[in-house]
Amino acid sequence: MGCGCSKFKFSVCCLRSGHDGPMVETHSIENEENSEVGDLPTFHQYTIDQLKNATSGFAVENIVSEHGEKAPNVVYKGKLESQMRIAVKRFNRSAWPDAQQFLEEARAVGQLRNHRLVNLLGCCCDGDERLLVAEYMPNDTLAKHLFHF
């Protein structure tokens, strides 16, 4: 007796019930993803003023994390005018010198949607500014939980 599982959906249950054959799980994760991800706004290009307003002018008290020696960046928590809570990752000016490449890569990643991931909602490419806007997830960072910082 075996169990067949893929990372996208469970196809066979390992538990035995009153009958001799395997039980097939009919509810797929793909269906969950389609129903839950529909609530997200489409990928959007924000202005620097919108993100300044959302983060109270990139206030120090809104900093969620700071990382990287070669290309330091800062993540701020914020709230859009729609009251949606967001995380804004502000890159060092040297991290993305090519504005077009930044926009293309951000849009490509922004098309990916999954209810198990923090989704990229948009970006800002204004002058030397390069910012990514994602869903805000409270309770610190995954690194803090894994490594007990």
Side-chain angles (χ1 to χ4, degrees):
M1 181 169 158
C3 179
C5 297
S6 77
K7 66 180 183 180
F8 297 109
K9 94 176 153 177
F10 292 101
S11 58
V12 178
C13 178
C14 296
L15 299 175
R16 293 182 57 93
S17 66
H19 72 307
D20 294 330
M23 295 182 64
V24 176
E25 176 75 43
T26 58
H27 179 76
S28 73
I29 293 172
E30 291 171 16
N31 290 339
E32 284 179 25
E33 291 171 1
N34 291 339
S35 65
E36 291 183 27
V37 180
D39 296 341
L40 289 175
T42 58
F43 188 83
H44 180 75
Q45 193 165 340
Y46 295 91
T47 67
I48 191 70
D49 290 334
Q50 287 174 306
L51 299 181
K52 280 182 184 176
N53 289 338
T55 60
S56 301
F58 300 107
V60 174
E61 61 267 10
N62 286 333
I63 292 177
V64 176
S65 74
E66 298 176 81
H67 289 290
E69 291 179 24
K70 291 184 179 179
N73 57 70
V74 181
V75 179
Y76 299 87
K77 63 182 175 180
K79 192 182 287 189
L80 295 171
E81 288 181 6
S82 66
Q83 301 306 305
M84 181 177 202
R85 295 178 70 192
I86 59 170
V88 179
K89 185 171 190 173
R90 190 178 197 184
F91 290 93
N92 179 301
R93 297 183 196 294
S94 63
W96 289 95
D98 184 351
Q100 190 59 38
Q101 181 187 14
F102 174 79
L103 287 172
E104 288 173 6
E105 291 189 30
R107 283 189 188 116
V109 173
Q111 299 308 308
L112 303 173
R113 296 283 195 241
N114 187 302
H115 72 279
R116 290 193 168 99
L117 301 173
V118 173
N119 291 286
L120 188 61
L121 302 174
C123 69
C124 174
C125 186
D126 189 349
D128 287 338
E129 294 284 356
R130 306 287 185 267
L131 301 104
L132 295 176
V133 180
E135 297 174 285
Y136 177 75
M137 299 299 289
N139 301 324
D140 292 321
T141 64
L142 179 59
K144 285 183 182 177
H145 288 283
L146 292 176
F147 304 112
H148 309 288
F149 287 118

Short mmCIF file of all heavy atoms in Angstrom, two decimals, residues 56-124:
data_model
loop_
_atom_site.label_atom_id
_atom_site.label_comp_id
_atom_site.label_asym_id
_atom_site.label_seq_id
_atom_site.Cartn_x
_atom_site.Cartn_y
_atom_site.Cartn_z
N SER A 56 4.00 56.80 5.82
CA SER A 56 4.24 58.01 6.63
C SER A 56 5.61 58.61 6.32
O SER A 56 6.39 58.93 7.21
CB SER A 56 4.11 57.72 8.12
OG SER A 56 2.84 57.22 8.42
N GLY A 57 5.89 58.73 5.02
CA GLY A 57 7.16 59.32 4.60
C GLY A 57 8.35 58.41 4.85
O GLY A 57 9.44 58.88 5.13
N PHE A 58 8.14 57.10 4.73
CA PHE A 58 9.18 56.11 5.02
C PHE A 58 9.73 56.32 6.43
O PHE A 58 10.94 56.36 6.66
CB PHE A 58 10.30 56.15 3.97
CG PHE A 58 9.80 55.86 2.58
CD1 PHE A 58 9.69 56.88 1.63
CD2 PHE A 58 9.42 54.58 2.22
CE1 PHE A 58 9.22 56.61 0.36
CE2 PHE A 58 8.94 54.31 0.93
CZ PHE A 58 8.84 55.33 0.00
N ALA A 59 8.81 56.44 7.36
CA ALA A 59 9.16 56.70 8.76
C ALA A 59 9.91 55.53 9.38
O ALA A 59 9.63 54.36 9.09
CB ALA A 59 7.89 56.97 9.56
N VAL A 60 10.86 55.85 10.24
CA VAL A 60 11.68 54.86 10.92
C VAL A 60 10.81 53.87 11.71
O VAL A 60 11.10 52.67 11.74
CB VAL A 60 12.70 55.56 11.86
CG1 VAL A 60 13.47 54.55 12.69
CG2 VAL A 60 13.64 56.42 11.06
N GLU A 61 9.75 54.35 12.31
CA GLU A 61 8.89 53.44 13.10
C GLU A 61 8.13 52.43 12.24
O GLU A 61 7.55 51.48 12.76
CB GLU A 61 7.92 54.22 14.00
CG GLU A 61 6.96 55.11 13.26
CD GLU A 61 7.47 56.54 13.10
OE1 GLU A 61 8.64 56.82 13.39
OE2 GLU A 61 6.66 57.38 12.67
N ASN A 62 8.13 52.62 10.92
CA ASN A 62 7.47 51.67 10.02
C ASN A 62 8.44 50.68 9.39
O ASN A 62 8.04 49.87 8.56
CB ASN A 62 6.72 52.41 8.92
CG ASN A 62 5.46 53.05 9.44
OD1 ASN A 62 4.88 52.59 10.42
ND2 ASN A 62 5.04 54.13 8.82
N ILE A 63 9.71 50.71 9.80
CA ILE A 63 10.68 49.76 9.26
C ILE A 63 10.39 48.38 9.83
O ILE A 63 10.28 48.20 11.04
CB ILE A 63 12.12 50.20 9.58
CG1 ILE A 63 12.47 51.47 8.80
CG2 ILE A 63 13.10 49.07 9.23
CD1 ILE A 63 13.85 52.03 9.11
N VAL A 64 10.29 47.41 8.92
CA VAL A 64 10.06 46.02 9.30
C VAL A 64 11.37 45.25 9.30
O VAL A 64 11.61 44.43 10.17
CB VAL A 64 9.05 45.36 8.34
CG1 VAL A 64 8.86 43.89 8.66
CG2 VAL A 64 7.72 46.09 8.36
N SER A 65 12.23 45.52 8.30
CA SER A 65 13.54 44.86 8.27
C SER A 65 14.52 45.64 7.42
O SER A 65 14.13 46.41 6.54
CB SER A 65 13.42 43.42 7.74
OG SER A 65 13.19 43.40 6.36
N GLU A 66 15.79 45.42 7.71
CA GLU A 66 16.89 46.00 6.95
C GLU A 66 17.91 44.91 6.73
O GLU A 66 18.34 44.27 7.68
CB GLU A 66 17.56 47.14 7.72
CG GLU A 66 16.66 48.29 8.04
CD GLU A 66 17.37 49.34 8.89
OE1 GLU A 66 18.11 50.15 8.31
OE2 GLU A 66 17.18 49.31 10.11
N HIS A 67 18.30 44.69 5.46
CA HIS A 67 19.25 43.61 5.18
C HIS A 67 20.15 43.96 4.02
O HIS A 67 19.80 44.78 3.18
CB HIS A 67 18.53 42.29 4.87
CG HIS A 67 17.88 41.69 6.05
ND1 HIS A 67 18.58 41.13 7.09
CD2 HIS A 67 16.57 41.57 6.38
CE1 HIS A 67 17.73 40.68 7.99
NE2 HIS A 67 16.51 40.94 7.59
N GLY A 68 21.27 43.31 3.94
CA GLY A 68 22.15 43.35 2.79
C GLY A 68 23.26 44.35 2.89
O GLY A 68 23.02 45.53 3.10
N GLU A 69 24.49 43.88 2.74
CA GLU A 69 25.64 44.78 2.75
C GLU A 69 25.94 45.30 1.36
O GLU A 69 26.24 46.48 1.18
CB GLU A 69 26.86 44.06 3.32
CG GLU A 69 26.72 43.77 4.80
CD GLU A 69 27.92 43.02 5.35
OE1 GLU A 69 29.00 43.13 4.75
OE2 GLU A 69 27.76 42.34 6.36
N LYS A 70 25.89 44.42 0.35
CA LYS A 70 26.21 44.82 -1.02
C LYS A 70 25.10 45.66 -1.64
O LYS A 70 25.37 46.59 -2.38
CB LYS A 70 26.50 43.60 -1.88
CG LYS A 70 27.79 42.90 -1.49
CD LYS A 70 28.08 41.77 -2.43
CE LYS A 70 29.38 41.11 -2.02
NZ LYS A 70 29.71 39.99 -2.88
N ALA A 71 23.88 45.28 -1.41
CA ALA A 71 22.75 46.02 -1.96
C ALA A 71 21.72 46.18 -0.85
O ALA A 71 20.69 45.53 -0.84
CB ALA A 71 22.14 45.29 -3.15
N PRO A 72 22.00 47.04 0.13
CA PRO A 72 21.08 47.17 1.26
C PRO A 72 19.70 47.63 0.82
O PRO A 72 19.56 48.40 -0.13
CB PRO A 72 21.76 48.20 2.16
CG PRO A 72 22.89 48.76 1.42
CD PRO A 72 23.13 47.94 0.21
N ASN A 73 18.74 47.14 1.50
CA ASN A 73 17.36 47.55 1.25
C ASN A 73 16.62 47.58 2.57
O ASN A 73 17.05 46.98 3.54
CB ASN A 73 16.68 46.60 0.25
CG ASN A 73 16.70 45.17 0.72
OD1 ASN A 73 16.02 44.82 1.67
ND2 ASN A 73 17.50 44.33 0.08
N VAL A 74 15.53 48.29 2.57
CA VAL A 74 14.72 48.45 3.78
C VAL A 74 13.29 48.10 3.43
O VAL A 74 12.79 48.47 2.37
CB VAL A 74 14.80 49.90 4.31
CG1 VAL A 74 13.98 50.05 5.58
CG2 VAL A 74 16.24 50.31 4.55
N VAL A 75 12.63 47.38 4.32
CA VAL A 75 11.22 47.05 4.13
C VAL A 75 10.41 47.83 5.17
O VAL A 75 10.71 47.80 6.36
CB VAL A 75 10.96 45.54 4.28
CG1 VAL A 75 9.47 45.23 4.11
CG2 VAL A 75 11.80 44.74 3.29
N TYR A 76 9.38 48.52 4.67
CA TYR A 76 8.49 49.32 5.52
C TYR A 76 7.10 48.72 5.48
O TYR A 76 6.66 48.18 4.47
CB TYR A 76 8.38 50.75 4.97
CG TYR A 76 9.67 51.51 4.93
CD1 TYR A 76 10.53 51.42 3.84
CD2 TYR A 76 10.04 52.35 5.98
CE1 TYR A 76 11.72 52.13 3.80
CE2 TYR A 76 11.22 53.06 5.94
CZ TYR A 76 12.06 52.95 4.84
OH TYR A 76 13.23 53.66 4.80
N LYS A 77 6.39 48.84 6.58
CA LYS A 77 4.97 48.51 6.57
C LYS A 77 4.22 49.79 6.26
O LYS A 77 4.70 50.90 6.52
CB LYS A 77 4.52 47.91 7.89
CG LYS A 77 4.64 48.82 9.08
CD LYS A 77 4.21 48.12 10.35
CE LYS A 77 4.47 49.03 11.55
NZ LYS A 77 4.08 48.40 12.79
N GLY A 78 3.04 49.64 5.68
CA GLY A 78 2.25 50.81 5.33
C GLY A 78 0.81 50.45 5.07
O GLY A 78 0.40 49.29 5.17
N LYS A 79 0.03 51.46 4.76
CA LYS A 79 -1.39 51.27 4.47
C LYS A 79 -1.78 52.19 3.32
O LYS A 79 -1.56 53.40 3.37
CB LYS A 79 -2.23 51.58 5.70
CG LYS A 79 -3.68 51.13 5.56
CD LYS A 79 -4.51 51.49 6.77
CE LYS A 79 -4.16 50.61 7.94
NZ LYS A 79 -5.09 50.78 9.07
N LEU A 80 -2.34 51.59 2.27
CA LEU A 80 -2.79 52.37 1.12
C LEU A 80 -4.07 53.12 1.45
O LEU A 80 -4.71 52.85 2.47
CB LEU A 80 -3.05 51.43 -0.08
CG LEU A 80 -1.82 50.71 -0.64
CD1 LEU A 80 -2.25 49.67 -1.67
CD2 LEU A 80 -0.85 51.71 -1.26
N GLU A 81 -4.46 54.04 0.59
CA GLU A 81 -5.71 54.79 0.80
C GLU A 81 -6.91 53.86 0.89
O GLU A 81 -7.88 54.16 1.55
CB GLU A 81 -5.90 55.81 -0.32
CG GLU A 81 -4.96 56.98 -0.24
CD GLU A 81 -5.18 57.99 -1.34
OE1 GLU A 81 -6.14 57.86 -2.13
OE2 GLU A 81 -4.36 58.93 -1.42
N SER A 82 -6.83 52.70 0.22
CA SER A 82 -7.91 51.71 0.26
C SER A 82 -7.94 50.95 1.59
O SER A 82 -8.76 50.06 1.77
CB SER A 82 -7.74 50.72 -0.88
OG SER A 82 -6.56 49.95 -0.69
N GLN A 83 -7.03 51.28 2.52
CA GLN A 83 -6.86 50.65 3.82
C GLN A 83 -6.21 49.28 3.75
O GLN A 83 -6.13 48.57 4.75
CB GLN A 83 -8.20 50.55 4.58
CG GLN A 83 -8.87 51.89 4.83
CD GLN A 83 -7.92 52.87 5.55
OE1 GLN A 83 -7.39 52.56 6.60
NE2 GLN A 83 -7.72 54.03 4.96
N MET A 84 -5.74 48.89 2.59
CA MET A 84 -5.02 47.63 2.46
C MET A 84 -3.63 47.79 3.06
O MET A 84 -2.92 48.75 2.77
CB MET A 84 -4.89 47.23 1.00
CG MET A 84 -4.17 45.92 0.80
SD MET A 84 -4.15 45.49 -0.94
CE MET A 84 -3.89 43.76 -0.80
N ARG A 85 -3.24 46.83 3.92
CA ARG A 85 -1.92 46.86 4.55
C ARG A 85 -0.90 46.29 3.57
O ARG A 85 -1.13 45.26 2.95
CB ARG A 85 -1.95 46.07 5.84
CG ARG A 85 -2.89 46.73 6.86
CD ARG A 85 -2.98 45.95 8.12
NE ARG A 85 -1.71 46.06 8.81
CZ ARG A 85 -1.37 45.30 9.85
NH1 ARG A 85 -2.19 44.39 10.30
NH2 ARG A 85 -0.20 45.46 10.43
N ILE A 86 0.24 46.98 3.45
CA ILE A 86 1.26 46.59 2.49
C ILE A 86 2.64 46.58 3.12
O ILE A 86 2.85 47.16 4.19
CB ILE A 86 1.28 47.54 1.26
CG1 ILE A 86 1.54 48.98 1.71
CG2 ILE A 86 0.01 47.40 0.44
CD1 ILE A 86 1.82 49.96 0.57
N ALA A 87 3.57 45.93 2.45
CA ALA A 87 4.99 46.00 2.77
C ALA A 87 5.66 46.61 1.55
O ALA A 87 5.38 46.22 0.41
CB ALA A 87 5.54 44.61 3.05
N VAL A 88 6.52 47.58 1.78
CA VAL A 88 7.21 48.27 0.69
C VAL A 88 8.71 48.03 0.85
O VAL A 88 9.30 48.41 1.85
CB VAL A 88 6.91 49.78 0.71
CG1 VAL A 88 7.66 50.49 -0.40
CG2 VAL A 88 5.42 50.03 0.61
N LYS A 89 9.29 47.38 -0.14
CA LYS A 89 10.73 47.11 -0.12
C LYS A 89 11.40 48.18 -0.97
O LYS A 89 11.17 48.28 -2.17
CB LYS A 89 11.03 45.72 -0.67
CG LYS A 89 12.48 45.33 -0.56
CD LYS A 89 12.66 43.87 -0.92
CE LYS A 89 14.05 43.40 -0.58
NZ LYS A 89 14.17 41.94 -0.77
N ARG A 90 12.24 48.97 -0.31
CA ARG A 90 12.94 50.08 -0.97
C ARG A 90 14.40 49.67 -1.18
O ARG A 90 15.13 49.46 -0.22
CB ARG A 90 12.85 51.32 -0.10
CG ARG A 90 13.32 52.58 -0.76
CD ARG A 90 13.14 53.75 0.18
NE ARG A 90 13.19 55.02 -0.52
CZ ARG A 90 13.14 56.19 0.08
NH1 ARG A 90 13.03 56.25 1.40
NH2 ARG A 90 13.19 57.29 -0.62
N PHE A 91 14.79 49.58 -2.43
CA PHE A 91 16.14 49.14 -2.76
C PHE A 91 17.13 50.29 -2.76
O PHE A 91 16.78 51.44 -3.04
CB PHE A 91 16.16 48.49 -4.16
CG PHE A 91 15.46 47.17 -4.21
CD1 PHE A 91 14.12 47.10 -4.55
CD2 PHE A 91 16.13 46.00 -3.90
CE1 PHE A 91 13.47 45.88 -4.60
CE2 PHE A 91 15.48 44.78 -3.94
CZ PHE A 91 14.16 44.72 -4.29
N ASN A 92 18.37 49.95 -2.51
CA ASN A 92 19.47 50.88 -2.64
C ASN A 92 19.54 51.31 -4.11
O ASN A 92 19.27 50.52 -5.01
CB ASN A 92 20.76 50.17 -2.22
CG ASN A 92 21.98 51.03 -2.34
OD1 ASN A 92 22.30 51.53 -3.42
ND2 ASN A 92 22.67 51.18 -1.24
N ARG A 93 19.92 52.53 -4.36
CA ARG A 93 19.97 53.07 -5.72
C ARG A 93 20.81 52.23 -6.67
O ARG A 93 20.51 52.12 -7.85
CB ARG A 93 20.48 54.50 -5.70
CG ARG A 93 19.58 55.43 -4.93
CD ARG A 93 20.08 56.87 -4.99
NE ARG A 93 19.49 57.74 -3.99
CZ ARG A 93 18.23 58.09 -3.91
NH1 ARG A 93 17.36 57.59 -4.73
NH2 ARG A 93 17.81 58.91 -2.97
N SER A 94 21.86 51.60 -6.18
CA SER A 94 22.74 50.82 -7.05
C SER A 94 22.22 49.40 -7.33
O SER A 94 22.74 48.72 -8.20
CB SER A 94 24.14 50.74 -6.44
OG SER A 94 24.09 50.04 -5.21
N ALA A 95 21.20 48.96 -6.62
CA ALA A 95 20.70 47.60 -6.78
C ALA A 95 20.05 47.37 -8.14
O ALA A 95 20.14 46.28 -8.70
CB ALA A 95 19.72 47.26 -5.66
N TRP A 96 19.36 48.35 -8.67
CA TRP A 96 18.65 48.24 -9.94
C TRP A 96 18.94 49.47 -10.79
O TRP A 96 18.07 50.33 -10.94
CB TRP A 96 17.15 48.13 -9.71
CG TRP A 96 16.73 46.84 -9.12
CD1 TRP A 96 16.53 46.58 -7.81
CD2 TRP A 96 16.47 45.63 -9.83
NE1 TRP A 96 16.15 45.28 -7.64
CE2 TRP A 96 16.10 44.68 -8.87
CE3 TRP A 96 16.50 45.27 -11.18
CZ2 TRP A 96 15.77 43.37 -9.21
CZ3 TRP A 96 16.18 43.97 -11.51
CH2 TRP A 96 15.81 43.03 -10.54
N PRO A 97 20.10 49.58 -11.41
CA PRO A 97 20.40 50.77 -12.20
C PRO A 97 19.55 50.87 -13.47
O PRO A 97 19.25 51.97 -13.93
CB PRO A 97 21.89 50.62 -12.54
CG PRO A 97 22.21 49.19 -12.32
CD PRO A 97 21.24 48.66 -11.33
N ASP A 98 19.13 49.73 -14.03
CA ASP A 98 18.34 49.74 -15.26
C ASP A 98 16.84 49.73 -14.94
O ASP A 98 16.28 48.71 -14.53
CB ASP A 98 18.70 48.53 -16.12
CG ASP A 98 18.01 48.50 -17.47
OD1 ASP A 98 17.11 49.33 -17.71
OD2 ASP A 98 18.38 47.65 -18.29
N ALA A 99 16.19 50.87 -15.11
CA ALA A 99 14.77 51.00 -14.77
C ALA A 99 13.89 50.05 -15.57
O ALA A 99 12.96 49.45 -15.03
CB ALA A 99 14.32 52.45 -14.99
N GLN A 100 14.17 49.89 -16.86
CA GLN A 100 13.35 49.02 -17.70
C GLN A 100 13.44 47.56 -17.25
O GLN A 100 12.43 46.86 -17.20
CB GLN A 100 13.77 49.15 -19.17
CG GLN A 100 12.83 48.47 -20.14
CD GLN A 100 11.41 49.02 -20.07
OE1 GLN A 100 11.19 50.21 -19.90
NE2 GLN A 100 10.43 48.14 -20.19
N GLN A 101 14.63 47.11 -16.90
CA GLN A 101 14.80 45.75 -16.42
C GLN A 101 14.04 45.54 -15.11
O GLN A 101 13.39 44.53 -14.91
CB GLN A 101 16.28 45.42 -16.23
CG GLN A 101 16.51 44.01 -15.75
CD GLN A 101 17.96 43.73 -15.40
OE1 GLN A 101 18.77 44.64 -15.26
NE2 GLN A 101 18.29 42.47 -15.22
N PHE A 102 14.11 46.52 -14.22
CA PHE A 102 13.38 46.44 -12.95
C PHE A 102 11.88 46.29 -13.20
O PHE A 102 11.23 45.41 -12.63
CB PHE A 102 13.65 47.68 -12.11
CG PHE A 102 12.84 47.75 -10.84
CD1 PHE A 102 13.20 47.00 -9.73
CD2 PHE A 102 11.71 48.54 -10.77
CE1 PHE A 102 12.46 47.05 -8.57
CE2 PHE A 102 10.96 48.61 -9.60
CZ PHE A 102 11.34 47.85 -8.51
N LEU A 103 11.32 47.14 -14.07
CA LEU A 103 9.88 47.09 -14.37
C LEU A 103 9.49 45.76 -14.98
O LEU A 103 8.46 45.17 -14.60
CB LEU A 103 9.49 48.24 -15.28
CG LEU A 103 9.44 49.61 -14.65
CD1 LEU A 103 9.24 50.69 -15.71
CD2 LEU A 103 8.35 49.68 -13.60
N GLU A 104 10.26 45.27 -15.93
CA GLU A 104 9.94 44.00 -16.59
C GLU A 104 9.95 42.84 -15.60
O GLU A 104 9.05 42.00 -15.59
CB GLU A 104 10.92 43.73 -17.73
CG GLU A 104 10.70 44.63 -18.93
CD GLU A 104 11.78 44.50 -20.00
OE1 GLU A 104 12.65 43.60 -19.86
OE2 GLU A 104 11.75 45.30 -20.96
N GLU A 105 10.98 42.78 -14.76
CA GLU A 105 11.07 41.69 -13.79
C GLU A 105 9.99 41.80 -12.73
O GLU A 105 9.40 40.79 -12.32
CB GLU A 105 12.46 41.65 -13.17
CG GLU A 105 13.51 41.20 -14.16
CD GLU A 105 14.86 40.93 -13.54
OE1 GLU A 105 14.92 40.53 -12.35
OE2 GLU A 105 15.86 41.11 -14.25
N ALA A 106 9.70 43.00 -12.28
CA ALA A 106 8.64 43.18 -11.28
C ALA A 106 7.29 42.77 -11.86
O ALA A 106 6.52 42.08 -11.19
CB ALA A 106 8.60 44.64 -10.81
N ARG A 107 7.00 43.18 -13.08
CA ARG A 107 5.72 42.78 -13.70
C ARG A 107 5.62 41.27 -13.88
O ARG A 107 4.56 40.69 -13.66
CB ARG A 107 5.56 43.48 -15.05
CG ARG A 107 5.16 44.92 -14.93
CD ARG A 107 4.81 45.52 -16.29
NE ARG A 107 4.60 46.94 -16.17
CZ ARG A 107 5.35 47.86 -16.76
NH1 ARG A 107 6.34 47.52 -17.56
NH2 ARG A 107 5.10 49.14 -16.57
N ALA A 108 6.72 40.64 -14.28
CA ALA A 108 6.70 39.19 -14.47
C ALA A 108 6.42 38.48 -13.14
O ALA A 108 5.57 37.59 -13.08
CB ALA A 108 8.04 38.72 -15.05
N VAL A 109 7.09 38.87 -12.08
CA VAL A 109 6.85 38.26 -10.77
C VAL A 109 5.46 38.63 -10.26
O VAL A 109 4.78 37.81 -9.64
CB VAL A 109 7.94 38.68 -9.76
CG1 VAL A 109 7.61 38.19 -8.36
CG2 VAL A 109 9.30 38.16 -10.21
N GLY A 110 5.01 39.83 -10.56
CA GLY A 110 3.70 40.28 -10.11
C GLY A 110 2.54 39.52 -10.73
O GLY A 110 1.43 39.53 -10.20
N GLN A 111 2.77 38.82 -11.82
CA GLN A 111 1.72 38.02 -12.44
C GLN A 111 1.49 36.70 -11.72
O GLN A 111 0.45 36.08 -11.86
CB GLN A 111 2.06 37.75 -13.91
CG GLN A 111 2.19 39.00 -14.76
CD GLN A 111 0.99 39.92 -14.65
OE1 GLN A 111 -0.15 39.50 -14.82
NE2 GLN A 111 1.25 41.18 -14.35
N LEU A 112 2.47 36.28 -10.94
CA LEU A 112 2.34 35.03 -10.18
C LEU A 112 1.47 35.28 -8.95
O LEU A 112 1.69 36.23 -8.22
CB LEU A 112 3.72 34.53 -9.74
CG LEU A 112 4.73 34.31 -10.85
CD1 LEU A 112 6.09 33.99 -10.25
CD2 LEU A 112 4.28 33.20 -11.79
N ARG A 113 0.50 34.44 -8.74
CA ARG A 113 -0.40 34.58 -7.61
C ARG A 113 -0.59 33.24 -6.94
O ARG A 113 -0.78 32.23 -7.61
CB ARG A 113 -1.78 35.10 -8.06
CG ARG A 113 -1.76 36.49 -8.66
CD ARG A 113 -1.65 37.48 -7.53
NE ARG A 113 -1.96 38.82 -7.96
CZ ARG A 113 -1.10 39.82 -7.91
NH1 ARG A 113 0.11 39.62 -7.48
NH2 ARG A 113 -1.44 41.02 -8.28
N ASN A 114 -0.53 33.22 -5.61
CA ASN A 114 -0.75 32.00 -4.86
C ASN A 114 -1.14 32.38 -3.45
O ASN A 114 -0.50 33.24 -2.85
CB ASN A 114 0.53 31.14 -4.87
CG ASN A 114 0.32 29.78 -4.26
OD1 ASN A 114 -0.09 29.65 -3.11
ND2 ASN A 114 0.59 28.75 -5.04
N HIS A 115 -2.15 31.73 -2.91
CA HIS A 115 -2.60 32.08 -1.56
C HIS A 115 -1.62 31.62 -0.49
O HIS A 115 -1.72 32.02 0.66
CB HIS A 115 -4.00 31.52 -1.30
CG HIS A 115 -4.05 30.04 -1.13
ND1 HIS A 115 -4.05 29.17 -2.19
CD2 HIS A 115 -4.08 29.28 -0.01
CE1 HIS A 115 -4.09 27.94 -1.74
NE2 HIS A 115 -4.11 27.97 -0.42
N ARG A 116 -0.63 30.81 -0.84
CA ARG A 116 0.37 30.36 0.13
C ARG A 116 1.60 31.25 0.15
O ARG A 116 2.51 31.01 0.92
CB ARG A 116 0.78 28.93 -0.19
CG ARG A 116 -0.33 27.95 0.09
CD ARG A 116 0.21 26.54 0.07
NE ARG A 116 -0.77 25.65 0.61
CZ ARG A 116 -1.58 24.93 -0.12
NH1 ARG A 116 -1.55 25.01 -1.43
NH2 ARG A 116 -2.45 24.14 0.45
N LEU A 117 1.66 32.24 -0.71
CA LEU A 117 2.81 33.14 -0.80
C LEU A 117 2.38 34.56 -0.53
O LEU A 117 1.22 34.91 -0.67
CB LEU A 117 3.41 33.09 -2.21
CG LEU A 117 3.90 31.74 -2.71
CD1 LEU A 117 4.30 31.85 -4.18
CD2 LEU A 117 5.06 31.26 -1.88
N VAL A 118 3.35 35.38 -0.16
CA VAL A 118 3.10 36.81 -0.10
C VAL A 118 3.15 37.29 -1.54
O VAL A 118 4.15 37.09 -2.23
CB VAL A 118 4.16 37.53 0.76
CG1 VAL A 118 4.00 39.03 0.67
CG2 VAL A 118 4.07 37.06 2.20
N ASN A 119 2.08 37.88 -2.02
CA ASN A 119 1.99 38.26 -3.41
C ASN A 119 2.49 39.68 -3.65
O ASN A 119 2.26 40.58 -2.84
CB ASN A 119 0.53 38.15 -3.89
CG ASN A 119 0.09 36.70 -3.94
OD1 ASN A 119 0.48 35.97 -4.82
ND2 ASN A 119 -0.71 36.29 -2.97
N LEU A 120 3.17 39.85 -4.78
CA LEU A 120 3.65 41.16 -5.19
C LEU A 120 2.49 41.92 -5.80
O LEU A 120 1.86 41.46 -6.75
CB LEU A 120 4.79 40.99 -6.20
CG LEU A 120 5.54 42.24 -6.59
CD1 LEU A 120 6.22 42.88 -5.38
CD2 LEU A 120 6.57 41.91 -7.66
N LEU A 121 2.17 43.07 -5.24
CA LEU A 121 1.02 43.85 -5.68
C LEU A 121 1.39 44.91 -6.72
O LEU A 121 0.55 45.33 -7.49
CB LEU A 121 0.37 44.55 -4.48
CG LEU A 121 -0.10 43.63 -3.36
CD1 LEU A 121 -0.58 44.45 -2.18
CD2 LEU A 121 -1.17 42.68 -3.85
N GLY A 122 2.65 45.37 -6.67
CA GLY A 122 3.04 46.41 -7.61
C GLY A 122 4.47 46.85 -7.37
O GLY A 122 5.21 46.25 -6.60
N CYS A 123 4.81 47.94 -8.05
CA CYS A 123 6.17 48.47 -7.92
C CYS A 123 6.14 49.97 -8.15
O CYS A 123 5.12 50.54 -8.53
CB CYS A 123 7.11 47.80 -8.91
SG CYS A 123 6.78 48.22 -10.63
N CYS A 124 7.28 50.59 -7.92
CA CYS A 124 7.46 52.00 -8.19
C CYS A 124 8.86 52.17 -8.76
O CYS A 124 9.84 51.69 -8.19
CB CYS A 124 7.32 52.83 -6.92
SG CYS A 124 7.69 54.58 -7.15
#
